[in-house]
Amino acid sequence: MPGKGNAVLKGDCKGKCHPSTINDSFVETRTHHFMVNGKPLYFNGFNAYWLMCMASDPSTRVKVTDAFQESSKIGMNLVRTWAFSDGGNKPLQTSPGFYNEDMFKGLDFVISEAKKYGIHLILSLVNNWDDFGGKKQYVQWARDHGGQYLNSDDEFFTNVVVKGYYKNHLKTILTRRNSITGVDYKDDSTIFAWELMNEPRCQSDLSGKFLQEWIVEMAAEIKSTDKNHLLEIGLEGVPGASDEARAKFVEKWINAHIEDCDSILRKPLLIAEFGKSSWSSGYTVEARDEYFGGIFNTAYESARNRGSCSGTTFWQVMAEGMDNWGDGYQVVLDQNPSTAAIIAKQSQRISSLCSSTNLEFSPVAVEK
């Protein structure tokens, strides 16, 4: 999540126009475009890691509804959030294979409420960082319960016992029957995509071999149970220290990913995490609006020209009265009219692309 610099970006060759409701058709990819029912889809959305936690408590559940209601008013249609909380405070998974039903019912509510407001979800399945448990907690569980001698948290990616714990979590999430809708998660088209990990890093193997092998193994594990949903990794890019360095990095990073997805990978791209922190020196709302506007323009121009960038989800939206949850990046929509106006403009622009008769796509095989 943003917090390691003034601006943090994440993108994956992964990214819907705002419907009044979510239908039962799953989003697919056709070359470097997202499609549903044969029509192109574009996204304007946000991150909200806190949704399950707030929804698990009946006294704070309204915060989820408020966030979805306010965001849907300005056309946002995609939210990235956590489907994990491992050990520690308010856990979803209390220990390997054991789950807190109250938290799971909170996630059930998030999914059912998203559907009401025509919002798709990206559900992230574990954290690279220590917040909400992460790979550190999985490795510690293996030490405590699996009798494993593990030197590094990076053994999350290689240890058989740890990987078994994670695979069990995948199966538990995918086969969960929503207590509100009665629909298994793997069969719910409200879920746009699964994310293997929030910002995966394996610092002990900079060649990328261990991480890549883990990605291939866990992607196959998900697809063995769920062939309907899209899947992405959660990879990131972190800008330099100065404002000028960050601005150059952002432009170069996004354009490089668009070019690669256009011509090499032939997959759609979603810029899944970016933001400006009010805790940073020299921060102004105007600077944040300009930053958002620049990334929105890049995404829109790519989509308008039938490129791979199919949308964005900034970090992050919060509801009113969540000051103690803030990390400096939060946007409370009804308290930030200038930012909300820029977001609404982007929603209108991408919505017009969904219905454009100028977009034509060759009848090639759909890739999952």
Side-chain angles (χ1 to χ4, degrees):
M1 66 181 72
K4 300 171 287 299
N6 191 42
V8 173
L9 290 156
K10 179 185 294 177
D12 283 285
C13 294
K14 60 192 179 178
K16 188 166 184 200
C17 292
H18 184 59
S20 57
T21 59
I22 302 292
N23 61 35
D24 293 328
S25 298
F26 290 90
V27 179
E28 301 173 322
T29 61
R30 184 174 296 175
T31 63
H32 55 287
H33 303 282
F34 292 113
M35 308 286 289
V36 70
N37 294 327
K39 297 180 180 180
L41 299 176
Y42 299 95
F43 292 92
N44 189 28
F46 61 93
N47 287 264
Y49 76 90
W50 50 270
L51 294 174
M52 178 175 62
C53 288
M54 281 292 178
S56 68
D57 184 342
S59 69
T60 57
R61 182 169 286 186
V62 67
K63 301 295 185 185
V64 175
T65 302
D66 288 347
F68 286 166
Q69 189 174 57
E70 292 301 313
S71 60
S72 68
K73 285 179 182 177
I74 54 175
M76 285 198 279
N77 58 353
L78 180 65
V79 175
R80 177 176 170 268
T81 192
W82 296 170
F84 64 79
S85 181
D86 303 305
N89 184 42
K90 298 193 74 171
L92 171 62
Q93 188 175 194
T94 56
S95 61
F98 292 89
Y99 288 81
N100 179 337
E101 184 62 17
D102 288 338
M103 287 292 282
F104 239 142
K105 286 181 178 179
L107 189 55
D108 292 345
F109 180 80
V110 171
I111 296 170
S112 66
E113 204 72 353
K115 185 180 180 70
K116 285 182 185 178
Y117 288 97
I119 294 172
H120 278 86
L121 295 171
I122 296 173
L123 296 182
S124 189
L125 297 166
V126 71
N127 206 0
N128 181 77
W129 312 106
D130 296 352
D131 298 314
F132 299 93
K135 67 184 183 185
K136 183 182 183 69
Q137 179 64 79
Y138 273 84
V139 169
Q140 189 59 49
W141 278 336
R143 293 190 183 107
D144 296 340
H145 303 292
Q148 302 293 297
Y149 178 75
L150 300 170
N151 281 320
S152 166
D153 293 344
D154 281 351
E155 293 190 58
F156 174 89
F157 300 108
T158 57
N159 180 268
V160 173
V161 171
V162 178
K163 289 193 293 183
Y165 291 162
Y166 180 69
K167 288 179 179 180
N168 181 75
H169 178 61
L170 297 181
K171 185 175 181 180
T172 301
I173 292 288
L174 296 176
T175 60
R176 166 73 177 185
R177 176 152 295 181
N178 192 307
S179 60
I180 299 171
T181 67
V183 179
D184 289 358
Y185 286 13
K186 65 182 176 61
D187 298 323
D188 196 330
S189 60
T190 309
I191 299 167
F192 162 67
W194 305 110
E195 179 178 275
L196 287 178
M197 190 176 208
N198 175 50
E199 301 175 0
R201 295 187 189 183
C202 186
Q203 296 297 112
S204 61
D205 174 33
L206 298 181
S207 73
K209 180 178 181 291
F210 291 161
L211 180 56
Q212 183 62 31
E213 289 176 348
W214 179 84
I215 290 167
V216 171
E217 182 177 353
M218 297 311 166
E221 186 73 17
I222 287 179
K223 289 299 182 179
S224 70
T225 301
D226 179 2
K227 294 180 172 60
N228 290 318
H229 288 102
L230 300 178
L231 177 66
E232 51 97 352
I233 301 165
L235 297 175
E236 61 179 336
V238 183
S242 70
D243 286 342
E244 183 180 0
R246 279 191 287 267
K248 289 181 178 179
F249 177 90
V250 168
E251 182 178 5
K252 181 179 179 180
W253 192 93
I254 293 177
N255 287 329
H257 279 70
I258 291 174
E259 290 172 9
D260 287 347
C261 290
D262 284 350
S263 59
I264 301 173
L265 298 174
R266 303 294 289 169
K267 292 286 187 180
L269 173 73
L270 179 75
I271 307 301
E273 193 177 309
F274 59 94
K276 282 275 190 180
S277 174
S278 62
W279 298 350
S280 299
S281 176
Y283 167 87
T284 64
V285 171
E286 292 77 16
R288 181 182 67 191
D289 291 350
E290 182 179 357
Y291 179 65
F292 277 22
I295 293 177
F296 288 162
N297 286 338
T298 300
Y300 172 72
E301 288 301 320
S302 173
R304 187 173 68 88
N305 292 307
R306 299 199 294 179
S308 59
C309 193
S310 299
T312 62
T313 56
F314 68 86
W315 186 280
Q316 63 169 314
V317 163
M318 286 190 172
E320 287 190 37
M322 294 183 62
D323 294 345
N324 59 326
W325 287 73
D327 60 356
Y329 292 87
Q330 69 270 17
V331 177
V332 180
L333 292 169
D334 56 4
Q335 294 178 358
N336 291 266
S338 64
T339 307
I342 290 171
I343 295 167
K345 178 183 176 181
Q346 180 73 351
S347 296
Q348 292 169 350
R349 293 198 296 179
I350 66 164
S351 180
S352 68
L353 294 177
C354 292
S355 57
S356 173
T357 57
N358 294 324
L359 289 174
E360 298 178 1
F361 297 90
S362 301
V364 297
V366 168
E367 300 176 45
K368 276 286 192 179

